[in-house]
């Protein structure tokens, strides 16, 4: 019995490789079925934009080859996926998943999205996970929650889009219900808009140089489309302006927006300029109650939060270690019972065979004497088994049972019988 | 017995101040329960102490009561507005005021003024509470200006992270002024009532200061409510009002020093 993780992540593979390994939820059952057919006792596939990992229980030696072959097919070009990957076994595999769930292995340290992705992976793979991985993923979610609640690993905004939300949240009491105006159609603005919408901000207006492009985005967000020239007067009523145009120079100038800002009667306006080069003239920040932040500012917020989070790594790692030991104690206990049962049966077979042979040679003994000898054989076997049984159970409870079990299986040939 | 609860309150206020300031020294912020619980415990001890201050005469009891109301308003701000940063100001202020009261001596000096009856006590209590509201408005305004400055300057340090959002501070300032004004009005009216009923002697200084507080606070409320000032302008108005009230008090006190009477 073992637990293994095989996969690739942002630490081992570039984005163009990772995106080839990424599985849609509908693809997961078929991939897992293929791996299970190769001898895995259970499997869960965790696939995000930053990692694709197969968690396997009771894998045969052939299983890793099947996983790498499967991933290599997706990679194409005759390339071997294993050159981008890693394999962790047993305690290390458990620790790996716990660290992933806690956000310790994330691209943005402590990011919480991974917790939901671990849950989704478990839900998608539930039918193929088996009891050990079922328990492992349940505990991984608890570890993630524990790390986030007991340490500061998830505090602050550690990415530019989440920093945009953090900055707006320092200006407005509540973000829910605030109106946002989006200028341009850049990817970063879309990401930041998604973050703001998740906080309850309403994107009411989308303006772009070309009206058609503005309308396409506005339809997605349930907003009204405008041309850029129509947008300036809406600086009087929007709470947040998110700008990411492809213009080679500043399009939001003092002259264009100052009259509208003057009509705000002191209400704050948060302008998030995510354009590169910048879309907003720096002098706009001088307008009363206008708070202007560009991409460098947001990255500074994110970098600061990330630096603060790093101070919580030791505490988070301690929690992970504690929970790995807890899981391993359970796992050791789980595997010890069937192995002990088999160990006892094997020795009892030996006892019975030797007793039969002995009694054949001692045919002159009375039934009572034969009974005594049989009783003696049982007692002797129990005496011999008592200490190893106690030691194994204690070791399992202490999380050290797995190594002893492996030794026992090897010494008494239980492993060969398993394979047979 | 007056001293012990005051000393306990002083210790707990000092601890609450340390907890409020700790994040600014790079330490982990205290939990909300602790941040709220410690000043509330101090407040409980303080209430017991203030309740025993009879007769209620002199600067020290008034300072003690002002400290008590400040901590009560701090707890209310934290509970209603999640404005724990208010404690950064109210904590040291309340600790200082209570410490000063203890240094001056809480026991009344000499014979108590005549007619310190229930109405007189009510007048003092309501007036001091109004003053505490004005102080809270000042604190919210100061926090607003600090946060405003940090946001404009794009500095994302402890003030950015630990202070409440600008809008919430503006709301706290607004609410403090709007509730503080009728409170001060009631305090002034009670003062006149007590005087004309012949219950207590009122000096000209008290009348001047009471009326000035009322007028200044009325102006600060007026510009917010009638002229719709908000944000930075309203914050400056609050700070100017409170500073004016404080400076006039200091001037009047310097003209007639002594700790036997508040004014």
């Amino acid at each position: 019995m073992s637990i293994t993780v095989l996969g690739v992540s942002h630490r081992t593979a570039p984005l163009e490789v990772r995106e080839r390994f990424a599985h849609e939820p509908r693809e997961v059952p078929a991939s897992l079925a293929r791996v299970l057919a190769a001898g895995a006792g259970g499997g869960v596939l965790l696939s995000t934009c930053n990692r694709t990992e197969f968690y396997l229980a009771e894998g045969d030696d052939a299983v890793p080859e099947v996983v790498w072959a499967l991933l290599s097919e997706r990679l194409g070009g005759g390339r071997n996926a294993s050159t981008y990957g890693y394999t962790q076994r047993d305690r290390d595999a458990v620790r790996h998943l716990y660290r992933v769930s806690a956000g310790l292995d994330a691209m943005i340290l402590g990011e919480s999205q991974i917790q939901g992705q671990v849950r989704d992976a478990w839900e998608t793979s539930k039918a193929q996970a088996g009891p050990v991985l079922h328990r492992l993923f349940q505990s991984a979610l608890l570890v993630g929650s524990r790390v986030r609640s007991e340490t500061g690993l998830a505090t602050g905004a550690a990415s530019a889009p989440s920093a945009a939300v953090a900055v707006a949240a320092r200006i407005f009491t509540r973000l829910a219900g605030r109106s946002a105006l989006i200028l341009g159609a850049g990817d970063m603005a879309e990401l930041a808009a998604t973050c703001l919408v998740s906080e309850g901000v309403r994107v009411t207006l989308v303006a772009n140089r070309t009206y058609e492009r503005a309308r396409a985005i506005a339809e997605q967000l349930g907003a009204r489309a405008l041309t850029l020239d129509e947008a300036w007067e809406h600086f009087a009523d929007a709470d947040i302006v998110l700008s990411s145009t492809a213009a080679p120079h500043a399009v939001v100038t003092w002259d264009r927006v100052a009259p509208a800002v003057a009509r705000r009667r002191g209400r704050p306006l948060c302008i998030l300029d995510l354009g590169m080069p910048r879309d907003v003239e720096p002098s706009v920040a001088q307008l009363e109650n206008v708070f202007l932040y560009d991409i460098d500012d947001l990255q500074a917020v994110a970098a600061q939060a990330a630096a603060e989070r790093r101070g919580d790594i030791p505490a988070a790692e301690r929690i992970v270690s504690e929970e790995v030991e807890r899981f391993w104690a359970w796992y050791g206990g789980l595997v010890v019972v069937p192995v002990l049962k088999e160990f006892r049966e094997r020795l009892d077979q030996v006892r019975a065979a030797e007793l039969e042979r002995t009694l054949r040679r001692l045919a002159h003994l009375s039934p009572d004497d034969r009974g005594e000898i049989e009783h003696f054989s049982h007692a002797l076997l129990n005496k011999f088994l008592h200490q190893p049984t106690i030691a194994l159970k204690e070791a399992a409870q202490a999380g050290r049972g797995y190594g002893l079990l492996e030794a026992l299986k090897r010494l008494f040939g239980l492993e060969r019988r398993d394979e047979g | 017995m007056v001293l012990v609860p005051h000393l306990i309150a002083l210790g707990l206020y000092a601890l609450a101040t340390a907890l409020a300031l700790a994040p600014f020294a790079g330490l982990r912020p205290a939990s909300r329960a602790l941040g709220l619980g410690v000043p509330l415990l101090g407040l409980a001890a303080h209430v017991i102490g203030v309740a025993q201050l009879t007769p209620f005469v002199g600067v020290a009891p008034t300072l003690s009561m002002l400290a008590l109301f400040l901590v009560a308003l701090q707890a209310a701000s934290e509970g209603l507005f999640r404005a724990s940063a208010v404690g950064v100001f109210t904590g040291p202020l309340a600790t200082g005021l209570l410490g000063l009261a203890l240094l001056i001596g809480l026991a009344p000096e000499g014979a108590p003024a005549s007619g310190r009856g229930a109405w007189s006590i009510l007048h003092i209590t309501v007036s001091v509470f109004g003053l505490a509201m004005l102080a809270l408005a000042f604190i919210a305004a100061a926090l607003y200006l600090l946060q405003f400055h940090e946001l404009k300057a794009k500095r994302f340090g402890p003030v950015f992270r630990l202070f409440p959002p600008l809008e919430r501070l503006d709301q706290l300032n607004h609410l403090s002024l709007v509730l503080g004004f009728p409170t001060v009005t009631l305090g002034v009216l009670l003062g006149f009532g007590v005087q004309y009923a012949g219950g207590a002697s009122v000096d000209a200084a008290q009348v001047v200061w009471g009326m000035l507080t009322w007028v200044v606070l009325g102006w600060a409320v007026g510009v917010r409510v009638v002229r719709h000032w908000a944000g930075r302008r309203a914050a400056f108005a609050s700070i100017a009002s409170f500073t004016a009230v404080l400076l006039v008090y200091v001037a009047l006190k310097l003209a007639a020093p002594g700790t036997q009477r508040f004014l």
Side-chain angles (χ1 to χ4, degrees), chain A residues 151-152 166-167 169-174 178 265 268 285-294 297 300-301 304 308 312, chain B residues 28 144 147-148 150-152 154 156-169 171 227-228 230-233:
Chain A
T151 73
V167 166
R170 290 295 94 188
I171 296 168
F172 304 107
T173 302
R174 291 175 71 243
R178 300 287 169 183
R265 300 179 72 114
Q286 305 303 317
L287 289 166
E288 183 68 20
N289 284 317
V290 169
F291 300 92
L292 169 64
Y293 302 98
D294 60 28
D297 301 325
V301 175
Q304 196 173 343
E308 280 166 17
D312 284 288
Chain B
R28 186 181 285 280
Y144 180 96
Q147 180 71 290
F148 184 94
E150 296 294 286
L151 283 166
K152 275 282 193 186
K154 302 178 178 185
F156 308 111
V159 170
F160 170 79
R161 284 182 285 110
L162 301 168
F163 278 26
L166 279 183
E167 261 191 0
R168 192 176 297 162
L169 290 169
Q171 288 163 351
R227 301 190 66 182
H228 302 293
R232 206 155 61 120
R233 213 147 51 134

XYZ file of all heavy atoms in Angstrom, chain A residues 151-152 166-167 169-174 178 265 268 285-294 297 300-301 304 308 312, chain B residues 28 144 147-148 150-152 154 156-169 171 227-228 230-233:
495
model
N -2.877 31.287 10.802
C -1.686 32.067 10.446
C -2.120 33.246 9.562
O -3.273 33.322 9.154
C -0.662 31.221 9.656
O -1.170 31.014 8.330
C -0.405 29.878 10.297
N -1.185 34.106 9.260
C -1.494 35.255 8.408
C -1.164 34.986 6.950
O -0.987 35.916 6.176
N -8.107 45.515 -2.840
C -7.667 45.966 -1.511
C -7.603 47.492 -1.442
O -8.006 48.095 -0.440
C -6.301 45.367 -1.181
N -7.113 48.101 -2.507
C -7.005 49.566 -2.531
C -8.400 50.196 -2.511
O -8.666 51.122 -1.741
C -6.202 50.019 -3.781
C -6.371 51.495 -4.009
C -4.726 49.698 -3.599
N -11.006 48.919 -1.357
C -11.630 48.645 -0.052
C -11.113 49.570 1.051
O -11.690 49.618 2.135
C -11.384 47.193 0.340
N -9.996 50.257 0.819
C -9.506 51.249 1.789
C -10.168 52.601 1.576
O -9.992 53.514 2.369
C -7.982 51.418 1.678
C -7.132 50.283 2.127
C -7.248 50.032 3.600
N -8.248 49.006 3.881
C -8.677 48.689 5.070
N -8.242 49.295 6.128
N -9.584 47.742 5.230
N -10.887 52.729 0.474
C -11.555 54.002 0.176
C -13.045 53.908 0.515
O -13.588 54.787 1.178
C -11.357 54.376 -1.311
C -9.868 54.610 -1.577
C -12.175 55.619 -1.678
C -9.507 54.711 -3.037
N -13.676 52.803 0.070
C -15.121 52.671 0.250
C -15.443 51.735 1.415
O -14.759 50.732 1.606
C -15.763 52.125 -1.032
C -15.467 52.965 -2.240
C -14.584 52.533 -3.213
C -16.059 54.211 -2.392
C -14.291 53.312 -4.318
C -15.779 55.000 -3.493
C -14.892 54.549 -4.458
N -16.504 52.071 2.148
C -16.907 51.227 3.272
C -17.265 49.832 2.793
O -16.823 48.831 3.354
C -18.128 51.854 3.978
O -17.759 53.158 4.385
C -18.544 51.041 5.170
N -18.084 49.764 1.758
C -18.468 48.469 1.190
C -18.296 48.554 -0.321
O -18.643 49.557 -0.929
C -19.937 48.142 1.505
C -20.184 47.850 2.970
C -21.666 47.643 3.262
N -22.164 46.395 2.729
C -23.102 46.304 1.793
N -23.622 47.388 1.274
N -23.512 45.134 1.366
N -21.193 49.192 -5.550
C -20.479 50.322 -6.176
C -20.516 50.155 -7.689
O -20.539 49.029 -8.203
C -19.013 50.348 -5.732
C -18.836 50.493 -4.259
C -19.157 51.887 -3.824
N -19.245 51.964 -2.372
C -19.567 53.056 -1.710
N -19.850 54.164 -2.354
N -19.632 53.056 -0.403
N -19.260 66.349 -5.694
C -19.539 66.882 -4.345
C -18.716 66.149 -3.277
O -19.242 65.744 -2.233
C -21.025 66.761 -4.005
C -21.917 67.515 -4.965
C -23.362 67.327 -4.589
N -23.663 68.060 -3.379
C -24.482 69.105 -3.313
N -25.096 69.498 -4.400
N -24.694 69.721 -2.200
N -15.504 60.203 -3.111
C -14.215 59.715 -3.622
C -14.360 58.951 -4.935
O -15.380 58.307 -5.178
C -13.714 58.794 -2.505
C -14.909 58.437 -1.712
C -15.906 59.531 -1.867
N -4.491 62.754 -10.539
C -4.453 62.405 -9.107
C -4.542 63.644 -8.217
O -4.846 63.531 -7.023
C -3.173 61.636 -8.793
N -4.257 64.813 -8.791
C -4.319 66.045 -7.984
C -5.758 66.514 -7.771
O -6.019 67.371 -6.924
C -3.533 67.182 -8.675
C -2.085 66.835 -9.001
C -1.307 66.426 -7.774
O -1.431 67.053 -6.735
N -0.541 65.351 -7.890
N -6.690 65.977 -8.538
C -8.099 66.369 -8.374
C -8.592 65.950 -6.991
O -8.208 64.886 -6.480
C -8.958 65.714 -9.458
C -8.764 66.259 -10.879
C -9.379 65.325 -11.910
C -9.397 67.645 -10.989
N -9.452 66.783 -6.408
C -9.942 66.539 -5.048
C -10.662 65.184 -4.971
O -11.537 64.889 -5.800
C -10.899 67.678 -4.644
C -11.432 67.598 -3.222
C -10.348 67.819 -2.162
O -9.304 68.397 -2.481
O -10.574 67.386 -1.021
N -10.300 64.402 -3.976
C -10.939 63.099 -3.711
C -10.816 62.099 -4.858
O -11.650 61.199 -4.983
C -12.410 63.284 -3.332
C -12.550 63.793 -1.915
O -11.867 63.329 -1.008
N -13.401 64.784 -1.714
N -9.801 62.287 -5.693
C -9.498 61.286 -6.718
C -8.269 60.508 -6.267
O -7.256 61.101 -5.892
C -9.232 61.944 -8.097
C -8.663 60.915 -9.080
C -10.512 62.534 -8.650
N -8.382 59.186 -6.269
C -7.280 58.329 -5.840
C -6.865 57.489 -7.040
O -7.622 56.639 -7.510
C -7.719 57.442 -4.675
C -8.158 58.250 -3.488
C -9.490 58.605 -3.333
C -7.245 58.696 -2.560
C -9.901 59.375 -2.263
C -7.637 59.467 -1.482
C -8.975 59.809 -1.335
N -5.669 57.762 -7.532
C -5.199 57.143 -8.769
C -4.067 56.158 -8.473
O -3.097 56.510 -7.795
C -4.697 58.245 -9.727
C -3.921 57.784 -10.965
C -4.792 56.943 -11.886
C -3.358 58.987 -11.720
N -4.212 54.944 -8.983
C -3.172 53.923 -8.801
C -2.874 53.260 -10.135
O -3.796 52.869 -10.863
C -3.631 52.860 -7.793
C -3.961 53.498 -6.467
C -5.277 53.790 -6.139
C -2.965 53.886 -5.592
C -5.585 54.434 -4.960
C -3.260 54.538 -4.414
C -4.571 54.810 -4.102
O -4.868 55.456 -2.949
N -1.575 53.137 -10.444
C -1.205 52.451 -11.680
C -0.709 51.047 -11.345
O -0.683 50.642 -10.178
C -0.181 53.271 -12.482
C 1.102 53.521 -11.705
O 1.444 52.685 -10.845
O 1.760 54.554 -11.938
N 1.904 50.676 -8.633
C 1.388 50.855 -7.272
C 0.734 49.557 -6.780
O 0.948 49.132 -5.648
C 0.345 51.974 -7.225
C 0.921 53.299 -7.690
O 2.106 53.544 -7.415
O 0.181 54.067 -8.329
N 3.184 47.030 -5.982
C 3.851 47.333 -4.701
C 2.994 46.832 -3.533
O 3.522 46.267 -2.565
C 4.072 48.842 -4.574
N 1.669 47.015 -3.633
C 0.764 46.505 -2.589
C 0.889 44.987 -2.512
O 1.003 44.402 -1.426
C -0.711 46.889 -2.896
C -1.664 46.253 -1.892
C -0.879 48.403 -2.876
N 4.202 43.784 -1.030
C 4.243 43.996 0.417
C 3.478 42.886 1.148
O 3.944 42.339 2.142
C 3.616 45.347 0.738
C 3.942 45.832 2.118
C 3.440 47.254 2.312
O 3.150 47.962 1.354
N 3.337 47.657 3.528
N 4.908 40.013 3.721
C 4.359 39.776 5.060
C 3.931 38.323 5.224
O 4.097 37.726 6.281
C 3.173 40.703 5.309
C 3.631 42.096 5.687
C 2.516 43.113 5.614
O 1.344 42.716 5.588
O 2.835 44.312 5.561
N 4.903 34.079 7.770
C 4.010 33.083 8.359
C 4.281 31.672 7.848
O 3.587 30.734 8.234
C 2.552 33.470 8.073
C 2.098 34.618 8.960
O 1.918 34.372 10.156
O 1.982 35.753 8.456
N 2.041 41.378 15.552
C 0.773 40.859 15.027
C -0.401 41.536 15.731
O -0.375 41.660 16.961
C 0.721 39.347 15.270
C -0.485 38.662 14.649
C -0.452 37.187 14.971
N 0.553 36.508 14.177
C 0.380 36.133 12.910
N -0.761 36.353 12.318
N 1.321 35.528 12.252
N -9.124 60.094 9.304
C -9.491 60.304 7.898
C -8.344 60.997 7.154
O -7.927 60.553 6.082
C -10.771 61.148 7.804
C -11.224 61.402 6.384
C -12.192 60.593 5.797
C -10.668 62.422 5.620
C -12.590 60.801 4.493
C -11.053 62.631 4.308
C -12.017 61.823 3.745
O -12.402 62.023 2.447
N -5.347 58.659 6.702
C -5.588 57.655 5.661
C -5.621 58.320 4.278
O -5.077 57.786 3.311
C -6.904 56.909 5.953
C -7.281 55.842 4.954
C -6.385 54.606 5.013
O -5.206 54.668 4.640
N -6.923 53.499 5.477
N -6.252 59.479 4.205
C -6.337 60.234 2.954
C -4.924 60.536 2.436
O -4.605 60.329 1.266
C -7.106 61.542 3.201
C -7.342 62.367 1.970
C -8.530 62.250 1.250
C -6.394 63.277 1.522
C -8.748 63.014 0.113
C -6.607 64.039 0.386
C -7.786 63.907 -0.320
N -2.107 59.025 3.177
C -1.395 57.814 2.776
C -1.884 57.321 1.411
O -1.093 56.881 0.584
C -1.583 56.705 3.823
C -0.987 57.018 5.180
C 0.526 57.117 5.157
O 1.206 56.085 5.051
O 1.028 58.261 5.243
N -3.195 57.390 1.209
C -3.749 56.923 -0.071
C -3.316 57.820 -1.221
O -2.987 57.336 -2.307
C -5.281 56.876 0.001
C -5.877 55.692 0.771
C -7.349 55.921 1.071
C -5.706 54.396 -0.015
N -3.312 59.113 -0.971
C -2.889 60.040 -2.021
C -1.400 59.879 -2.320
O -0.964 59.968 -3.465
C -3.169 61.483 -1.588
C -4.589 61.952 -1.875
C -4.762 62.310 -3.343
C -6.049 63.082 -3.598
N -6.271 63.309 -5.029
N 0.251 57.245 -1.996
C 0.489 55.857 -2.423
C 1.460 55.149 -1.486
O 2.400 54.478 -1.932
C 1.014 55.821 -3.860
C 0.067 56.478 -4.846
C 0.637 56.458 -6.228
C -0.334 57.079 -7.214
N 0.106 56.997 -8.585
N 1.649 52.327 1.299
C 0.795 51.215 1.680
C 1.287 50.544 2.966
O 1.393 49.329 3.049
C 0.715 50.214 0.515
C 0.323 50.865 -0.786
C 1.224 50.990 -1.828
C -0.944 51.394 -0.945
C 0.874 51.607 -3.017
C -1.318 52.023 -2.133
C -0.400 52.130 -3.170
N 1.602 51.360 3.938
C 2.136 50.863 5.203
C 1.040 50.534 6.207
O -0.093 50.231 5.828
N 1.377 50.619 7.503
C 0.418 50.232 8.555
C -0.873 51.050 8.535
O -1.933 50.506 8.797
C 1.189 50.481 9.854
C 2.609 50.572 9.472
C 2.677 51.005 8.059
N -0.771 52.350 8.226
C -1.989 53.173 8.201
C -2.942 52.649 7.130
O -4.140 52.455 7.378
C -1.636 54.660 7.949
C -2.891 55.476 7.667
C -0.899 55.229 9.149
N -2.417 52.379 5.953
C -3.228 51.848 4.854
C -3.897 50.537 5.267
O -5.080 50.324 5.031
C -2.327 51.633 3.632
C -2.973 50.875 2.511
C -3.859 51.506 1.648
C -2.708 49.523 2.309
C -4.456 50.805 0.608
C -3.300 48.820 1.275
C -4.171 49.466 0.426
N -3.129 49.663 5.924
C -3.650 48.332 6.241
C -4.565 48.321 7.463
O -5.530 47.564 7.511
C -2.486 47.352 6.475
C -1.822 46.911 5.193
C -0.722 45.918 5.430
N 0.471 46.551 5.971
C 0.907 46.392 7.210
N 0.262 45.624 8.041
N 1.993 47.014 7.622
N -4.246 49.168 8.450
C -4.939 49.039 9.733
C -6.061 50.046 9.954
O -6.950 49.815 10.766
C -3.918 49.157 10.883
C -2.802 48.109 10.859
C -1.697 48.487 11.827
C -3.346 46.745 11.207
N -6.009 51.158 9.239
C -7.069 52.152 9.427
C -8.304 51.752 8.624
O -8.190 51.125 7.582
C -6.580 53.535 8.971
C -5.752 54.264 9.994
C -5.044 53.579 10.964
C -5.669 55.642 9.992
C -4.273 54.236 11.902
C -4.909 56.322 10.929
C -4.207 55.612 11.883
N -9.475 52.163 9.076
C -10.695 51.839 8.326
C -10.734 52.592 6.999
O -9.970 53.543 6.800
C -11.826 52.334 9.243
C -11.202 52.589 10.558
C -9.771 52.891 10.316
N -11.636 52.194 6.091
C -11.765 52.916 4.822
C -12.152 54.374 5.052
O -12.790 54.697 6.062
C -12.897 52.179 4.096
C -13.075 50.909 4.805
C -12.562 51.078 6.186
N -11.787 55.207 4.093
C -12.074 56.643 4.199
C -13.556 56.919 4.454
O -13.912 57.709 5.319
C -11.688 57.330 2.888
C -10.220 57.671 2.683
C -10.056 58.407 1.368
C -9.702 58.529 3.827
N -14.394 56.260 3.672
C -15.837 56.517 3.787
C -16.352 56.220 5.189
O -17.182 56.949 5.721
C -16.595 55.628 2.795
C -16.976 56.335 1.530
C -17.946 55.515 0.707
O -18.328 54.394 1.118
O -18.311 55.990 -0.355
N -15.848 55.131 5.778
C -16.323 54.747 7.117
C -15.896 55.791 8.146
O -16.650 56.119 9.055
C -15.776 53.362 7.485
C -16.454 52.777 8.704
C -15.970 51.387 8.999
N -16.286 50.467 7.923
C -15.686 49.293 7.763
N -14.759 48.906 8.596
N -16.026 48.497 6.767
N -14.684 56.307 7.982
C -14.207 57.341 8.915
C -15.031 58.615 8.761
O -15.344 59.292 9.742
C -12.720 57.620 8.663
C -11.787 56.479 9.065
C -10.378 56.719 8.543
C -11.754 56.318 10.583
N -18.145 58.666 7.796
C -19.448 58.377 8.414
C -19.361 58.495 9.937
O -20.272 59.010 10.598
C -19.916 56.967 8.043
C -20.365 56.832 6.593
C -20.415 55.375 6.137
O -19.970 54.471 6.840
N -20.935 55.164 4.936
N -24.647 72.438 4.364
C -23.841 72.744 3.171
C -23.220 71.498 2.542
O -22.451 71.598 1.594
C -22.764 73.773 3.530
C -23.377 75.070 4.073
C -22.365 76.150 4.204
N -21.855 76.559 2.900
C -20.919 77.476 2.720
N -20.375 78.065 3.764
N -20.510 77.809 1.524
N -23.539 70.337 3.115
C -23.117 69.035 2.558
C -21.603 68.905 2.406
O -21.121 68.307 1.447
C -23.797 68.792 1.196
C -25.281 68.809 1.272
N -25.994 67.838 1.939
C -26.199 69.698 0.811
C -27.282 68.120 1.878
N -27.436 69.255 1.202
N -18.198 67.173 3.046
C -17.848 65.778 3.359
C -16.353 65.625 3.158
O -15.685 66.532 2.676
C -18.612 64.835 2.448
N -15.867 64.481 3.545
C -14.469 64.149 3.299
C -13.491 65.076 3.995
O -13.640 65.394 5.170
N -12.511 65.530 3.214
C -11.390 66.260 3.794
C -11.837 67.603 4.397
O -11.396 67.974 5.478
C -10.337 66.506 2.711
C -8.933 66.667 3.277
C -7.912 66.316 2.250
N -8.010 67.189 1.098
C -7.017 67.969 0.671
N -5.884 68.001 1.342
N -7.147 68.688 -0.404
N -12.740 68.284 3.693
C -13.171 69.600 4.163
C -13.901 69.456 5.509
O -13.654 70.219 6.456
C -14.096 70.243 3.122
C -13.949 71.733 3.072
C -14.151 72.321 1.718
N -15.381 71.916 1.051
C -16.196 72.772 0.432
N -15.918 74.051 0.463
N -17.249 72.363 -0.216
